């Protein structure tokens, strides 16, 4: 049901039956290592290209989520997935393996919550019994496509972010035990004219702020309703800007509940500059870390605001600015 | 930012960009310069040392010793790129490792390694000069212009 301008309230509250988080060697060194289902020692995953390695990550994430829910892949009626690769090949190739009906989506790093929101909408409308939302990113594959070769010795500025190598998947069902998806706010494209691809946090912060404000305005609730409000991959630079912007706009979010997946996933000693980015950033932190904390009873209500920078290497070279988007999904225990 | 680019932005965009700029971490320009100076200088000193070795022990002259020296530096750079070390040194040293011939070797080697998965023809061959291509193109072009200028001056009896 639509509430306000762009928030869906899911009356039947689709259940998050199972979720999974897969990571690479760099994620294994981070503070959230225990929340991953599989941590790979090798970024190649035994494949002969980074692109194939990313597909493998997503396949494993889907497989584990299905297995955890005690289902078979034939039970999955719809698979929604997006990633950063050209023509979302990681998602399409994983869908080929799964064999279920597939909707490919693209929201850059916001694909995680875009997929989850749409899967919840499908399950809520009784259009499916089970729907699976997944997403993945691979550091080396993303560097290769968007920036420079991985072994290139260029210096990155302190605003740059590190793409997460990993994948996450969430399996939604109409009934069962587990956290429930209660509402989702779909973002608008916000472009503040910034064009530096090494400062995504700064470019995406206004989009996150726009969606967060819309969420609370549409639902008529206060930020204190949630135990955690986490943005996807703003990093330290974007998080600071978003915090200040929200305060200036008069929406006070207590600093202890407002956080960012891109800050949480890596430790201070890891050389990631401003933090993490990539589709898998919000996906692994949410489906691994936050869901585990919810199951332990530490937190009850979370709002995940996945942020995405909708640029392409071509648009950046043609001096276009970076359009950004953010989608928010609320998960309650 | 240039004033021309700024004109295209709406007032809201301009306001936000100033707002965001105030909160951006600054590039450590001074320490970057010092690191680049130290590392770049070290590479050049190694090069000088190599050149002296080639002159003293391998019968090269000061004119001919340049070629084997550059070749050795390129090989070291390519080896470090292949071992996955060069990018870490580059992040620390910045222009220090980018400007000398080692940086050029790194751009070629890293692109060649990266595109190995697309095969030798379309991958390695086609992408090897992805980064260094413009250096070669504009390097050759400017050399051509300089040579024409020199010949023109000579023709006019200038030199």
């Amino acid at each position: 049901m639509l509430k306000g301008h762009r928030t869906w309230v899911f009356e039947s509250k689709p259940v998050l039956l199972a979720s999974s988080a897969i990571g690479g060697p760099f994620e294994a060194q981070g503070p959230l290592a225990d929340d991953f289902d599989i941590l790979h020692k090798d970024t190649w995953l035994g494949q002969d290209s980074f692109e194939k390695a990313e597909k493998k990550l997503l396949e494993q994430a889907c497989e584990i989520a299905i297995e955890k829910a005690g289902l078979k892949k034939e039970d999955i009626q719809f698979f929604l997935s997006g990633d950063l690769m050209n023509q979302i090949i990681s998602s399409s190739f994983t869908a080929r393996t799964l064999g279920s009906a597939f909707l490919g989506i693209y929201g850059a790093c916001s694909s995680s919550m875009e997929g989850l929101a749409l899967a919840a909408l499908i399950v809520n409308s009784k259009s499916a019994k089970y729907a699976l939302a997944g997403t993945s990113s691979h550091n080396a594959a993303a560097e290769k496509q968007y920036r420079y070769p991985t072994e290139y010795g260029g210096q990155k500025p302190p605003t740059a972010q590190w793409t997460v190598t990993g994948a996450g998947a969430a399996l939604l069902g109409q009934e069962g035990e587990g956290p429930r998806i209660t509402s989702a706010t779909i973002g608008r494209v916000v472009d503040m004219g910034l064009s530096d691809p090494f400062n995504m946090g700064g470019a995406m912060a206004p989009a996150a702020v726009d969606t967060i404000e819309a969420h609370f305005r549409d639902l008529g609730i206060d930020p204190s309703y949630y135990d955690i409000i986490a943005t996807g991959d703003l990093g330290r630079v974007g998080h600071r800007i978003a915090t200040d912007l929200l305060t200036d706009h008069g929406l006070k979010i207590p600093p202890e509940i407002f956080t960012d997946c891109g800050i949480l996933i890596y430790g201070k000693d890891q050389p990631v500059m401003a933090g993490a980015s990539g589709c898998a950033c919000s996906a692994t932190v949410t489906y691994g870390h936050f869901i585990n904390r919810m199951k332990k009873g530490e937190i009850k209500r979370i709002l995940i605001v996945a942020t995405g920078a909708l640029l392409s290497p071509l648009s950046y070279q043609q001096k276009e600015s970076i359009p950004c988007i953010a989608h928010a999904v609320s998960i309650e225990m | 930012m240039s004033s021309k680019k700024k004109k295209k932005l709406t007032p809201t965009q301009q306001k936000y960009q100033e707002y965001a700029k105030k909160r951006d971490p600054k590039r450590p320009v001074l320490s970057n310069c010092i690191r680049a100076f130290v590392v770049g200088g070290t590479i050049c000193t190694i090069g000088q040392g190599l050149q002296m070795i080639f002159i003293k022990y391998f019968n090269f002259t000061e004119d001919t010793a340049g070629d084997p020296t550059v070749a050795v530096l390129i090989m070291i750079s390519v080896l470090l790129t292949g071992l996955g070390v060069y990018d870490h040194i580059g992040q620390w040293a910045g222009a220090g490792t980018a400007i000398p011939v080692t940086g050029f070797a790194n751009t070629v080697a890293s692109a060649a390694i990266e595109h190995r998965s697309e095969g030798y023809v379309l991958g390695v061959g086609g992408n090897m000069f992805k980064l260094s291509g413009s250096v070669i193109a504009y390097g050759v072009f400017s050399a051509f212009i300089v040579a024409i200028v020199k010949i023109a001056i000579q023709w006019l009896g200038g030199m």
Side-chain angles (χ1 to χ4, degrees), chain A residues 179-198:
Chain A
R180 286 165 175 272
I181 316 295
T182 50
S183 65
T185 303
I186 303 302
R188 290 187 307 154
V189 172
V190 177
D191 188 338
M192 282 299 172
L194 289 168
S195 54
D196 179 7
F198 284 114

Side-chain angles (χ1 to χ4, degrees), chain A residues 13-38:
Chain A
K13 296 183 177 157
V15 187
L16 198 148
L17 294 168
S19 64
S20 62
I22 316 286
F26 205 61
E27 290 64 38
Q29 295 165 20
L32 306 184
D34 294 341
D35 291 312
F36 285 87
D37 295 296
I38 298 179

Side-chain angles (χ1 to χ4, degrees), chain A residues 50 140 144 148-151, chain B residues 110-118:
Chain A
F50 294 133
K144 180 176 172 180
Y148 299 113
T150 38
E151 298 304 333
Chain B
S110 61
I113 296 168
E114 188 86 344
H115 293 279
R116 171 67 190 84
S117 52
E118 286 87 67

Side-chain angles (χ1 to χ4, degrees), chain A residues 49 144 148-153 155-159 191-195 199 202 206 237 240-241 244-245 248, chain B residues 5 13 16-17 19-20 23-27 32 81 84 87 90-92 94 106-107 110-111 114-115 117-118 131:
Chain A
S49 77
K144 180 176 172 180
Y148 299 113
T150 38
E151 298 304 333
Y152 173 60
Q155 192 176 40
K156 287 183 177 164
T159 49
D191 188 338
M192 282 299 172
L194 289 168
S195 54
N199 186 5
V237 177
R240 185 171 163 214
I241 297 173
D244 290 354
L245 271 177
D248 287 357
Chain B
K5 205 173 167 192
Q13 286 177 325
Y16 173 71
Q17 295 202 354
Y19 191 90
R23 287 158 180 82
D24 276 352
K26 295 281 162 290
R27 273 179 194 248
N32 278 354
T81 305
D87 55 329
Q91 177 62 36
W92 194 85
N106 166 251
T107 59
S110 61
E114 188 86 344
H115 293 279
S117 52
E118 286 87 67
L131 295 170

Side-chain angles (χ1 to χ4, degrees), chain A residues 243-258:
Chain A
T243 309
D244 290 354
L245 271 177
L246 285 165
T247 314
D248 287 357
H249 292 188
L251 190 73
K252 284 239 163 23
I253 302 182
E256 63 275 14
I257 70 163
F258 190 45

Side-chain angles (χ1 to χ4, degrees), chain A:
Chain A
M1 185 187 75
L2 181 71
K3 196 165 180 198
H5 279 284
R6 46 193 163 110
T7 300
W8 293 328
V9 176
F10 306 119
E11 302 89 353
S12 74
K13 296 183 177 157
V15 187
L16 198 148
L17 294 168
S19 64
S20 62
I22 316 286
F26 205 61
E27 290 64 38
Q29 295 165 20
L32 306 184
D34 294 341
D35 291 312
F36 285 87
D37 295 296
I38 298 179
L39 284 163
H40 289 280
K41 282 198 184 109
D42 172 25
T43 47
W44 292 87
L45 273 78
Q47 307 294 308
D48 54 16
S49 77
F50 294 133
E51 292 76 10
K52 283 180 192 162
E54 181 175 332
K55 181 201 76 180
K56 186 100 185 159
L57 285 169
L58 188 53
E59 280 178 356
Q60 284 183 338
C62 295
E63 216 171 272
I64 288 174
I66 296 168
E67 198 186 292
K68 271 189 184 173
L71 296 169
K72 287 193 291 289
K73 64 178 186 178
E74 292 75 28
D75 299 322
I76 308 303
Q77 284 147 335
F78 292 95
F79 173 51
L80 292 98
S81 183
D83 59 85
L84 293 174
M85 291 294 95
N86 284 338
Q87 289 79 37
I88 53 167
I89 47 171
S90 311
S91 298
S92 312
F93 291 2
T94 302
R96 179 178 70 186
T97 312
L98 275 177
S100 50
F102 168 59
L103 287 165
I105 54 169
Y106 182 78
C109 309
S110 70
S111 301
S112 56
M113 289 306 122
E114 186 179 350
L116 189 64
L118 289 170
L121 190 71
I122 290 171
V123 173
N124 185 58
S125 67
K126 309 261 184 296
S127 305
K129 209 171 162 202
Y130 301 111
L132 182 67
T135 189
S136 64
S137 59
H138 190 292
N139 181 277
E143 287 289 320
K144 180 176 172 180
Q145 184 181 301
Y146 284 93
R147 297 176 194 105
Y148 299 113
T150 38
E151 298 304 333
Y152 173 60
Q155 192 176 40
K156 287 183 177 164
T159 49
Q161 287 169 263
W162 178 276
T163 308
V164 171
T165 300
L171 179 53
L172 301 188
Q174 286 179 5
E175 50 208 31
E177 285 293 307
R180 286 165 175 272
I181 316 295
T182 50
S183 65
T185 303
I186 303 302
R188 290 187 307 154
V189 172
V190 177
D191 188 338
M192 282 299 172
L194 289 168
S195 54
D196 179 7
F198 284 114
N199 186 5
M200 301 283 209
M204 296 190 295
V209 168
D210 183 72
T211 301
I212 292 171
E213 285 174 345
H215 182 79
F216 291 115
R217 195 173 48 230
D218 285 352
L219 291 180
I221 52 173
D222 192 73
S224 60
Y225 178 82
Y226 292 105
D227 299 319
I228 292 280
I229 298 173
T231 46
D233 55 355
L234 293 182
R236 274 175 272 276
V237 177
H239 183 69
R240 185 171 163 214
I241 297 173
T243 309
D244 290 354
L245 271 177
L246 285 165
T247 314
D248 287 357
H249 292 188
L251 190 73
K252 284 239 163 23
I253 302 182
E256 63 275 14
I257 70 163
F258 190 45
T259 184
D260 180 68
C261 301
I263 299 175
L264 293 173
I265 190 164
Y266 296 125
K268 279 225 155 70
D269 51 327
Q270 290 178 286
V272 295
M273 266 74 83
S277 69
C279 300
C281 179
S282 52
T284 54
V285 173
T286 307
Y287 300 153
H289 179 65
F290 287 137
I291 297 295
N292 282 350
R293 282 188 68 188
M294 288 179 101
K295 285 185 175 158
K296 278 184 216 153
E298 290 171 15
I299 44 174
K300 287 200 153 46
R301 294 162 175 165
I302 60 169
L303 181 71
I304 308 296
V305 189
T307 40
L310 306 171
L311 82 165
S312 88
L314 213 69
S315 74
Y316 149 66
Q317 284 169 0
Q318 293 175 352
K319 310 267 185 293
E320 285 272 5
S321 54
I322 307 175
C324 297
I325 196 159
H327 302 296
V329 174
S330 106
I331 309 173
E332 298 180 30
M333 198 65 193

